[in-house]
Amino acid sequence: CASAFAMYFAISFLKLKQQKPLYYYPFALFAFLGSCGIIFSLVLPYALALRFAVAAIAIGIPLCILIGALLLRNGFIPARFYLLAWTMLMGSSVFLLASKTGFMPVSWFTENMQQIGATLQAVLLALALADQIQQMHQEQLAAQDAELRHEREIRESQERANAQLERRVDER
């Protein structure tokens, strides 16, 4: 079930275990249930497995949006792409549902809205991952720069100590 992979992705991408352990547990539970849904789809009748999958998605997408909004409000910058991506998917699902229930006219746009939303979500999550990779690269460069400065300070301190020691030896 896609919801399982969405939950695992959220746990990893949003660093839920480190950022907000309280948020981690519902995601871990839904990831486990989604994994069970994968097994259920192999052994249960199709109609029952489909109901389970729909329920997982109906709970999972709003949960992803809620947690993304809470983390963004708490200042976790990567949540901005994440929240926008899930909002796109949810919005496209609403358009599709509205056309299927007669609230909107059926058109090419409404019939393909789910695929459009999923594509936008994939693009936004790819940008989010690229942003995280860039951030990690910047942190790595900053750490290397700090290490080089520290090594330079140690070397200069050793050179001063050696020079001072040589002066003392020369004085004797």
Side-chain angles (χ1 to χ4, degrees):
C1 196
S3 63
F5 296 110
M7 296 299 143
Y8 289 125
F9 178 80
I11 289 169
S12 174
F13 180 77
L14 296 174
K15 299 176 177 58
L16 289 179
K17 207 166 194 177
Q18 299 87 3
Q19 286 288 326
K20 294 285 185 178
L22 181 65
Y23 299 164
Y24 165 78
Y25 295 107
F27 273 80
L29 175 65
F30 279 104
F32 173 74
L33 291 176
S35 299
C36 291
I38 294 169
I39 296 167
F40 292 163
S41 69
L42 299 173
V43 296
L44 294 178
Y46 176 74
L48 188 58
L50 184 61
R51 285 186 192 130
F52 186 83
V54 168
I57 291 169
I59 295 169
I61 291 176
L63 182 63
C64 287
I65 291 172
L66 174 67
I67 297 302
L70 290 172
L71 288 173
L72 185 60
R73 191 181 79 196
N74 289 339
F76 186 61
I77 301 301
R80 68 184 186 265
F81 283 117
Y82 177 85
L83 179 60
L84 184 59
W86 278 104
T87 303
M88 287 291 173
L89 184 63
M90 182 69 150
S92 67
S93 299
V94 168
F95 274 104
L96 181 64
L97 184 61
S99 75
K100 295 294 183 188
T101 56
F103 289 108
M104 285 181 69
V106 175
S107 68
W108 179 91
F109 182 72
T110 58
E111 285 298 307
N112 293 294
M113 195 61 202
Q114 188 72 38
Q115 289 85 355
I116 294 168
T119 302
L120 288 172
Q121 181 194 32
V123 168
L124 287 167
L125 290 176
L127 289 172
L129 287 171
D131 187 53
Q132 267 196 350
I133 291 168
Q134 181 66 23
Q135 181 67 29
M136 290 185 325
H137 181 68
Q138 293 298 326
E139 289 171 2
Q140 183 182 22
L141 288 176
Q144 286 175 345
D145 189 45
E147 181 67 27
L148 287 173
R149 278 195 311 271
H150 182 68
E151 287 178 10
R152 188 178 314 120
E153 289 171 2
I154 290 173
R155 187 177 57 249
E156 289 170 357
S157 176
Q158 282 180 329
E159 288 172 357
R160 283 192 303 271
N162 286 344
Q164 187 178 25
L165 185 60
E166 284 181 23
R167 277 194 306 269
R168 286 183 186 168
V169 168
D170 288 344
E171 289 174 2
R172 289 184 186 182

